Amino acid sequence: MPLRASLMFAAGLVFSATALAHDYPLDDVRVSHPFATPAPPSVPHAAAYVDIRVDGSEPAVLVGARSPASETVELHDMAMDDGVMQMRRVERIDIPAGTLQTMRPGGGYHLMLFDLVAPLNDGDRFPLTLEFAERGEIEVEVWVQSAGEGSEDAADHHH
């Protein structure tokens, strides 16, 4: 096999392994590209983001999350309220059947990690368990990366 073809084949294998490592199935629900933004030592909290797709005919409901990286993980929504960005804890995130719930920095749903055990540095990874009503739990590996890089990587993952 010529060198160029060998290199392209190897690159394809690496890309496939990376893509698979970012895609987690649970019945008819698929969680993809979990990422968190870095948190310096002086900041005891961070945000994590995931994409959740429901391929079946029944909606999915995210009701909780936990991680050894922090003491507490809460489901949050961020929205404008009278011109001021407000972050509020929510008890659940409903994902309608046949849709993709996309979490990204800058607004909307996200997961807040409070009382971090250690700072989150670019390139770190940590486990996060998501709990779905009626479907159980799934553990994903979260990659720590800048907000822009994580958003771009997640968007590319769905194409």
Side-chain angles (χ1 to χ4, degrees), residues 124-135:
D124 288 349
R125 296 182 187 177
F126 63 89
L128 174 73
T129 301
L130 302 173
E131 180 185 352
F132 290 90
E134 307 296 324
R135 285 186 174 84

Side-chain angles (χ1 to χ4, degrees), residues 15-122:
F15 177 76
S16 297
T18 301
L20 290 174
H22 275 78
D23 197 31
Y24 303 88
L26 175 66
D27 297 329
D28 60 349
V29 172
R30 190 178 81 211
V31 177
S32 57
H33 194 74
F35 72 98
T37 51
S42 61
V43 179
H45 56 271
Y49 308 90
V50 298
D51 290 350
I52 304 169
R53 176 181 300 282
V54 180
D55 292 325
S57 59
E58 295 296 319
V61 182
L62 181 63
V63 295
R66 66 182 182 280
S67 174
S70 66
E71 293 295 320
T72 307
V73 180
E74 294 181 359
L75 311 178
H76 278 231
D77 188 19
M78 194 167 14
M80 294 298 287
D81 187 11
D82 290 328
V84 177
M85 186 64 81
Q86 298 287 325
M87 185 172 62
R88 294 186 176 99
R89 181 179 184 197
V90 295
E91 296 300 317
R92 58 191 278 157
I93 298 174
D94 295 297
I95 304 103
T99 66
L100 171 67
Q101 172 63 58
T102 302
M103 297 183 192
R104 296 288 182 275
Y109 292 119
H110 58 282
L111 305 166
M112 284 300 300
L113 292 89
F114 289 106
D115 300 317
L116 293 171
V117 174
L120 297 182
N121 298 306
D122 198 22

